[in-house]
Amino acid sequence: MVASSENTVRLTSLSSGGGCACKLPMAKLEGLFSILGSDLHGAAGEDLLIGASEGDDAAVMRIDDERALVLTTDFFTPIVDDPYDWGRVAAANAVSDVYAMGGRPLMALNLTAWPSEDLPLKLLADVLRGGADMASNAGCVVVGGHTIDDPIPKYGLAVVGMADPGRLFAIDKAGVGNQLVLTKPLGTGVIASALKQEKADDSSVAAAITSMTTLNDTAADVAHTAGVTAATDVTGFGLMGHLHRMLAASNVAAHIDADAVPLLPGAIDLVEAGVVPGGTRANLDHLAEHVELSAGLSRPVVTLLHDAQTSGGLLMALPSDDTESLSALRRHGLTAARIGTVVDGPRGHISVTGTSQ
């Protein structure tokens, strides 16, 4: 972690929400798409393999039989106080959508909003440096961007990647019997909210930053080796939200074992202390009709299953007979876990069991 000695500003205090928790909630986005209706252009067809109408992680355009362009963008308000780390997290989060489609990021543009009269440009330079360093780690070059003057700072990337059109991951390809594997622990939303409220301890924040700055490149490589066709990354809609979208698109259901879901250290204690982000609460409300909870589950665990993540892991649907991928993910240092199974059932339905924790 690189800290700026000149940074005396608590960046997380400058907005009402941080990271992916600042995004419009699922209910409002679905309402927006309903209003747009047929005016929402970009349905897949011919060389547009995945467009806006599919609701996937990124758009994909075929160039030829062996190459396809992947296009995505993501930006958000500060999720940590150190500007360099904020840049790293935001960049890792932005390129993650390319990995979630089975591609590799190639180049990116900065998207920046900055209160130029209120915050030193040195802090912005640290943000941009963090983003460029993380993009470089992903083999992606940052080639410029766009800045606006805005009272609330925001940062992210527009990213172009490349994929094999015959080896894409998509949210509508999950099949009955697939194993559901998650490659990162949950809890970044709760810990970021606690940081904003000055209630988070250093070890929990450090663990969250480590998780959020871990690229999903290795997870995508393992998924390719396993022949995965269905995957998504877990961000602002939480594990339950992104899983529901995958299941609904694939016309299947799932069973989740809450005891198997990895959690960041300190996350349970923070929820028990009442630290729950607004985005997480919105996920709980919106998904209630789609998620069936067993009586043995504790409320903090249920909350974390819906926690609005930033730069979360890949959620992948592995073939039922795959016995190697989970070990491969763990050998690469990922906190990966088999958390459930795709089953036949009501479209988008999730049943969750587990003991109280």
Side-chain angles (χ1 to χ4, degrees), residues 108-128:
L109 295 170
N110 291 311
L111 300 173
T112 306
W114 196 257
S116 60
E117 298 299 320
D118 299 322
L119 289 182
L121 290 179
K122 170 61 169 65
L123 296 187
L124 176 55
D126 286 344
V127 175
L128 297 179

Side-chain angles (χ1 to χ4, degrees), residues 217-304:
D217 53 349
T218 298
D221 287 344
V222 172
H224 271 308
T225 299
V228 165
T229 57
T232 187
D233 63 339
V234 178
T235 55
F237 299 155
L239 172 62
M240 293 294 98
H242 288 283
L243 175 57
H244 164 69
R245 293 176 71 247
M246 177 188 284
L247 299 173
S250 303
N251 200 30
V252 290
H255 169 257
I256 295 297
D257 176 7
D259 295 339
V261 177
L263 305 175
L264 284 167
I268 285 282
D269 293 339
L270 289 170
V271 177
E272 289 176 340
V275 179
V276 181
T280 301
R281 295 184 191 276
N283 291 339
L284 282 160
D285 291 341
H286 182 64
L287 293 163
E289 64 179 298
H290 304 294
V291 180
E292 179 184 352
L293 302 168
S294 72
L297 289 168
S298 71
R299 194 61 189 172
V301 169
V302 172
T303 298
L304 288 168

Side-chain angles (χ1 to χ4, degrees), residues 40-322:
L40 180 63
H41 301 295
E46 297 184 355
D47 287 332
L48 182 61
L49 302 180
I50 299 175
S53 298
E54 285 68 46
D56 216 315
D57 292 294
V60 182
M61 176 72 77
R62 176 169 41 212
I63 300 174
D64 52 37
D65 289 344
E66 297 181 351
R67 298 175 300 165
L69 283 178
V70 183
L71 178 63
T72 185
T73 186
D74 211 310
F75 65 97
F76 46 64
T77 53
I79 188 169
V80 292
D81 287 322
D82 183 85
Y84 182 82
D85 279 340
W86 175 28
R88 294 170 66 221
V89 171
N93 182 75
V95 301
S96 180
D97 282 343
V98 177
Y99 295 128
M101 305 305 298
R104 285 283 178 179
L106 294 179
M107 64 178 181
L109 295 170
N110 291 311
L111 300 173
T112 306
W114 196 257
S116 60
E117 298 299 320
D118 299 322
L119 289 182
L121 290 179
K122 170 61 169 65
L123 296 187
L124 176 55
D126 286 344
V127 175
L128 297 179
R129 189 175 295 111
D133 285 352
M134 180 55 66
S136 178
N137 290 343
C140 177
V141 58
V142 179
V143 292
H146 184 65
T147 59
I148 64 170
D149 198 296
D150 191 277
I152 299 177
K154 306 170 186 72
Y155 174 69
L157 297 174
V159 187
V160 175
M162 188 73 74
D164 181 337
R167 302 183 68 201
L168 294 174
F169 306 151
I171 63 170
D172 63 351
K173 302 298 184 184
V176 173
N178 285 167
Q179 307 173 63
L180 291 170
V181 169
L182 179 65
T183 66
K184 287 187 186 182
L186 304 179
T188 61
V190 165
I191 293 172
S193 187
L195 175 63
K196 184 178 180 64
Q197 299 174 35
E198 300 185 82
K199 296 180 179 179
D201 62 67
D202 291 344
S203 60
S204 294
V205 173
I209 292 174
T210 296
S211 180
M212 292 187 291
T213 55
T214 297
L215 293 169
N216 281 326
D217 53 349
T218 298
D221 287 344
V222 172
H224 271 308
T225 299
V228 165
T229 57
T232 187
D233 63 339
V234 178
T235 55
F237 299 155
L239 172 62
M240 293 294 98
H242 288 283
L243 175 57
H244 164 69
R245 293 176 71 247
M246 177 188 284
L247 299 173
S250 303
N251 200 30
V252 290
H255 169 257
I256 295 297
D257 176 7
D259 295 339
V261 177
L263 305 175
L264 284 167
I268 285 282
D269 293 339
L270 289 170
V271 177
E272 289 176 340
V275 179
V276 181
T280 301
R281 295 184 191 276
N283 291 339
L284 282 160
D285 291 341
H286 182 64
L287 293 163
E289 64 179 298
H290 304 294
V291 180
E292 179 184 352
L293 302 168
S294 72
L297 289 168
S298 71
R299 194 61 189 172
V301 169
V302 172
T303 298
L304 288 168
L305 293 177
H306 294 79
D307 189 36
Q309 300 300 281
T310 296
S311 191
L314 289 190
L315 173 64
M316 60 180 73
L318 289 171
S320 58
D321 59 353
D322 186 308

